[in-house]
Amino acid sequence: MALFTIENTRIAGVSACVPEKVISNHDYTWISEKDRKLLIKTTGVENKHVVGSNTTASDLCYVATERLIEQLKWKKMRLRF
């Protein structure tokens, strides 16, 4: 349900970026197998993508944005302040 509208606008695309490294909740060694199964059953999460210590959310956003701009064949503008 829309709360407001903005004329002459559209969503041209959506993009996302997830880290390559995947960790499985099945591999946790610090909890019992029974607890691992319960964790997976209650959360529905078997695997998760994780970043290294030098990667931030904005790094992932940047990659997703660059890919989307390329796919949409948009030209980037330089803003001057």
Side-chain angles (χ1 to χ4, degrees):
M1 178 166 112
L3 301 176
F4 63 92
T5 60
I6 302 173
E7 299 295 323
N8 301 316
T9 60
R10 68 184 175 97
I11 297 173
V14 177
S15 184
C17 179
V18 294
E20 290 182 15
K21 183 177 179 182
V22 177
I23 294 178
S24 173
N25 284 338
H26 292 284
D27 295 336
Y28 282 158
T29 58
W30 53 274
I31 59 176
S32 69
E33 183 177 349
K34 180 181 175 184
D35 287 341
R36 286 191 301 256
K37 288 180 180 180
L38 180 61
L39 171 70
I40 293 166
K41 180 179 178 182
T42 57
T43 64
V45 178
E46 289 190 49
N47 301 301
K48 56 190 167 212
H49 293 261
V50 295
V51 297
S53 61
N54 294 330
T55 303
T56 64
S58 63
D59 295 328
L60 299 176
C61 292
Y62 179 81
V63 171
T65 301
E66 290 292 314
R67 287 181 186 166
L68 182 60
I69 290 170
E70 182 180 321
Q71 289 173 356
L72 293 173
K73 295 179 175 41
W74 286 357
K75 292 182 181 179
K76 290 194 259 181
M77 293 176 40
R78 286 208 172 226
L79 298 178
R80 296 179 189 202
F81 297 99

